[in-house]
Amino acid sequence: MSRTVSAPALDKLLLDAAGIIAKIQALSEAIVKEFGKRPATLALVGIQTRGVILARRVADQLRKITGQQIPVGVLDITLYRDDVHAIADQPEVKETDLPFDIEDRPLVLIDDVLFTGRTVRSAMNALIDYGRPQCIRLAVLVDRGHRELPIGADYIGLTVKTTPEDVIDVNFKETDEEDSVRVRKWEAKKKE
Amino acid sequence: MGGKEEGMRLRYKDLLGLAHLTSEEIELILHTAAPFKKLFTRSIKKVPTLRGKTVAMLFYEPSTRTRTSFELAATRLSADVLSLAVASSSVQKGESLMDTALNLEAMKVDFIVLRHSVSGAPELLARGVRAHVVNAGDGNHEHPTQGLLDLFTIREKKKKMQGLTVTIIGDILHSRVARSNIWGLTKLGARVRLCGPATLVPADMRTAFGNGVEVTYNMKEALDGADVAYVLRLQLERQQENLFPSLREYHEFYGLDAKKLSWAKKDCLVMHPGPMNRGVEIDSVVADGPQSVILEQVTNGIAVRMAVLYLLAGSSSTLYVPAPEKAVERKAL
């Protein structure tokens, strides 16, 4: 999927490739700090689509620290959204693949950006339909504020002050051209 | 979360048939059905997607399988289901189809699933109501969700559609299942062979659907190199209409048994829309054999109908209006 970053007047780089690596390392270390170096049943669950890429990268980092391969599940929340029929383009229903029983497991839910909290709400509802995890933690690369639900992240890479109109673009090499996090300021455009 | 996800929608508010869908729309439905099927492996098979929506089942012809399948599909999407049994409704008092539909509309029903013995009844209904109309079989015209679930099953097993040879056997003339399958299969690039007694397989079927349809009256010819043997249910009352001499003779020539199946490819799938007349159009040894995917068709039917309801909910409000020459063409069939 290609992204156009040219339209708004102000396009600011928040994280470059090295910055993302550092944040993933920090997230991984925080997870190890809570679950220990031998996390027996821990599993990661990435939210489609960039949460999945992030989860895989965190799992790679965790393997470097613990020597253990932490399983990664893929969660699509489309069927649990509260706005399915309000948006112009109907979202594509993607695969959910949890290659482990989530019953009694500690789970770390992973997404690229935390914004209104509605995606995380949907994700928790979806997960609970698969079983009763021992606990669910939330890890995000960027927390941009403007929550509409009482939800907070346990592990945060970067906290950014934004206006609700701003767009945060998380780009990963796997799906985009580069590794970067950018903010597009829409306020700047309004002034023109 | 960061960017806008690309989505594709169905063009029309109703699902009336496969004839007027593009191959992209058919692909979209099949593609969407796959994640729905995966839900069936969970202990909680329900998702909240259509919470608060109501699906009315309006069946003017008896049906167990299709009706149950639609009900389960709607229920698993958390929609409420309203079932109108024809015998117990006002239909017995002579209420017209349109009146019944307008009453359902007044009750704010979001979907109407209609089965009717008259071809074109869903199209008529679709024009008069705002609800999404899903054709669950109309006369000899179409049975689109059956066609879609068959396409899904073939694709799932064969991993492709382009270039496959699908042989449809039986009463093609009266079969809406066959028509929906022919439209769908040819649009996705499969070759279709039709086979049955000449009284039940009109020769002009060769050209009625565009390219890719062959007609033969010889089972050996029909099954030679076939990837799928699709057996239609024989309506036993057709015998009274003298369209074939006897069930025994029909079985002798066109009933799918182990010997006839051996003429097809080794991995040829055996399909049937149900309910089967065992020993007439199909033998038990074949119907229950390793090449049979008949029960998987049933499972896939629920997933495909979930996909159809989900996609229609997000479709545009555009009404399908048939081109005039197409209407004439359909009449000729």
Side-chain angles (χ1 to χ4, degrees), chain B residues 66-250:
Chain B
T66 304
R67 189 195 181 108
T68 322
S69 179
F70 266 110
E71 285 183 2
L72 264 180
T75 313
R76 286 183 184 173
L77 286 166
S78 300
D80 296 309
V81 179
L82 178 68
S83 250
L84 296 175
V86 168
S88 62
S89 77
S90 308
V91 172
Q92 295 285 304
K93 298 178 202 155
E95 191 177 83
S96 78
L97 169 66
M98 216 53 215
D99 279 335
T100 306
L102 289 173
N103 275 286
L104 287 173
E105 183 89 337
M107 292 176 205
K108 306 293 175 209
V109 161
D110 302 285
F111 296 87
I112 301 175
V113 178
L114 175 69
R115 165 162 293 187
H116 204 286
S117 57
V118 176
S119 301
E123 204 174 296
L124 177 76
L125 185 69
R127 279 184 225 168
V129 298
R130 244 174 320 185
H132 301 283
V133 175
V134 184
N135 180 4
D138 62 330
N140 297 338
H141 174 221
E142 281 222 43
H143 191 352
T145 56
Q146 177 72 46
L148 289 165
L149 77 88
D150 294 330
L151 295 174
F152 182 89
T153 307
I154 295 170
R155 165 76 59 83
E156 191 180 50
K157 291 288 166 192
K158 295 289 178 190
K159 313 284 183 225
K160 61 168 187 178
M161 192 62 80
Q162 191 76 37
L164 290 182
T165 300
V166 179
T167 303
I168 305 179
I169 305 151
D171 182 359
I172 313 285
L173 178 63
H174 300 95
S175 175
R176 54 195 177 207
V177 172
R179 274 182 190 69
S180 287
N181 264 293
I182 298 169
W183 282 122
L185 289 164
T186 52
K187 277 169 198 265
L188 297 191
R191 274 192 304 272
V192 177
R193 279 188 205 150
L194 306 176
C195 183
T199 46
L200 299 175
V201 186
D204 63 6
M205 286 273 186
R206 277 192 194 99
T207 50
F209 299 87
N211 292 328
V213 179
E214 299 163 34
V215 171
T216 169
Y217 303 104
N218 177 314
M219 277 288 267
K220 196 162 190 172
E221 226 174 80
L223 287 168
D224 181 42
D227 296 286
V228 178
Y230 195 104
V231 184
L232 295 170
R233 173 178 166 80
L234 186 69
Q235 305 288 334
L236 301 181
E237 59 271 22
R238 301 287 175 222
Q239 195 189 345
Q240 267 105 61
E241 299 166 26
N242 293 319
L243 290 171
F244 59 90
S246 73
L247 290 179
R248 213 173 67 182
E249 192 173 312
Y250 184 90

Side-chain angles (χ1 to χ4, degrees), chain A residues 1 3 49 78-80 84-85 88-97 112-113 115 119 129-130 167-168, chain B residues 1-9 31-32 34-36 38-39 42 44 46-50 310-311 313-314:
Chain A
M1 197 182 303
R3 293 273 183 74
T49 47
T78 308
L79 300 173
Y80 288 82
V84 167
H85 308 300
D89 282 318
Q90 199 173 26
E92 180 193 346
V93 185
K94 301 186 197 77
E95 295 281 340
T96 288
D97 183 25
D112 54 350
V113 179
F115 184 17
T119 300
D129 279 355
Y130 283 88
V167 176
I168 300 277
Chain B
M1 200 59 223
K4 196 163 141 345
E5 301 291 332
E6 280 170 45
M8 195 198 147
R9 310 162 80 191
H31 181 74
T32 306
F36 280 115
K38 279 196 86 177
L39 295 175
R42 320 195 309 195
I44 295 173
K46 200 166 171 161
V47 288
T49 319
L50 293 186
Y310 170 77
L311 290 170

Side-chain angles (χ1 to χ4, degrees), chain A residues 2 6 8 17-18 32-33 35 37-38 43 52 64 74-75 86 102 105 112-113 121 141 154 158 160-161 173 187:
Chain A
S2 67
S6 54
V32 169
K33 198 173 171 197
F35 292 98
K37 290 215 164 186
R38 291 268 163 272
V52 176
K64 282 180 197 156
V74 172
L75 188 68
I102 73 166
R105 254 180 212 272
D112 54 350
V113 179
R121 192 284 304 168
L141 188 59
D154 302 279
L158 180 71
V160 195
K161 262 198 140 159
K173 271 184 299 195
E187 273 189 337

Side-chain angles (χ1 to χ4, degrees), chain B residues 19-32:
Chain B
H20 59 268
L21 293 191
T22 61
S23 58
E24 289 80 15
E25 285 175 304
I26 294 174
E27 294 283 6
L28 173 67
I29 298 170
L30 302 183
H31 181 74
T32 306

